[in-house]
């Protein structure tokens, strides 16, 4: 079987060698990977640095049920839950509890010491103004614990990746300059 196609001829200066194929395809691929890793590192590292200043973590939210809802949930032979007097709660827990009671959403953030965290996570009964109310933790966000050094390393990775992505055009420009210099030298001879 013969092919009617003419044999392939490479134009001068377009031959792909192992080194040029690596610079054309391998380095930009590595650069793209470095940019992707760098973005992830810079975002996580940057977030780790600012999360506490912006108060984005560490404040669990407590939900408090009404006295009527608590009676319905617990009933006469309700579950065996930890029970506290309002005065036994820490100042931060008391503030969150009273905030929750006064809000339509019935939720309040604990901003400070939370010694009864485990009891609230399981659900607890708190006696407040002579009535028992069911209280539980509905949301808790711990701080992201990554090394803040991840931010500058991510930025360096992004810059190296951009350098890798820009390698083929720079390489082509160098080849063009070299080819035009060779052409000028041949014409002058």
């Amino acid at each position: 079987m013969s092919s009617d196609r003419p044999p392939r001829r490479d134009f001068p200066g377009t031959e792909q060698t192992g080194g040029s194929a690596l610079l054309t395809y391998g380095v930009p691929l590595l650069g793209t990977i470095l940019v992707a890793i760098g973005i992830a590192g810079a975002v996580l590292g940057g977030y780790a640095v600012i999360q506490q200043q912006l108060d984005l973590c560490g404040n669990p939210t407590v939900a408090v049920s009404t006295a009527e809802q608590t009676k319905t949930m617990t009933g006469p032979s309700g579950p065996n839950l930890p029970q506290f007097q309002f005065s036994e709660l820490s100042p931060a827990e008391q503030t969150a509890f009273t905030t929750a009671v006064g809000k339509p959403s019935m939720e309040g953030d604990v901003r400070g010491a939370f010694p009864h965290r485990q009891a609230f996570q399981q659900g607890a009964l708190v006696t407040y103004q002579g009535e028992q109310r069911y209280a539980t933790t509905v949301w808790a966000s711990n701080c992201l614990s990554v090394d803040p050094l991840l931010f500058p390393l991510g930025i360096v990775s992004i810059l190296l990746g951009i350098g890798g992505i820009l390698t083929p055009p720079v390489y082509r420009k160098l080849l063009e300059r070299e080819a035009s210099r060779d052409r000028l030298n041949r014409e002058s001879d």
Side-chain angles (χ1 to χ4, degrees), residues 30-67:
L30 181 63
T32 305
I33 292 169
L34 282 173
V35 167
I37 291 170
I39 289 171
V43 168
L44 286 176
Y47 181 74
V49 170
I50 65 166
Q51 67 183 337
Q52 288 193 344
Q53 285 84 11
L54 296 179
D55 204 21
L56 298 173
C57 62
N59 295 324
T61 302
V62 173
V64 179
S65 300
T66 63

Side-chain angles (χ1 to χ4, degrees), residues 3 41 57 59 67 92 100 141-142 166:
S3 172
C57 62
N59 295 324
S141 174
N142 295 328
L166 296 177

Side-chain angles (χ1 to χ4, degrees), residues 21 42 79 146 166 188:
V146 297
L166 296 177
S188 66

Side-chain angles (χ1 to χ4, degrees), residues 135-157:
T136 187
T137 305
V138 291
W139 183 78
S141 174
N142 295 328
C143 286
L144 179 67
S145 59
V146 297
D147 194 348
L149 187 59
L150 206 55
F151 179 72
L153 289 176
I155 298 297
V156 168
S157 177

Side-chain angles (χ1 to χ4, degrees), residues 9-95:
R9 285 189 280 177
D10 289 329
F11 294 102
T14 61
E15 301 87 17
Q16 288 273 329
T17 63
S20 66
L22 178 67
L23 286 173
T24 304
Y25 302 110
V27 174
L29 175 65
L30 181 63
T32 305
I33 292 169
L34 282 173
V35 167
I37 291 170
I39 289 171
V43 168
L44 286 176
Y47 181 74
V49 170
I50 65 166
Q51 67 183 337
Q52 288 193 344
Q53 285 84 11
L54 296 179
D55 204 21
L56 298 173
C57 62
N59 295 324
T61 302
V62 173
V64 179
S65 300
T66 63
E68 295 78 30
Q69 290 171 333
T70 302
K71 286 178 188 172
T72 304
M73 285 189 291
T74 57
S77 60
N80 186 15
L81 297 172
Q83 297 185 13
F84 302 102
Q85 295 295 320
F86 181 75
S87 59
E88 294 178 69
L89 302 179
S90 73
E93 291 170 335
Q94 289 178 352
T95 302

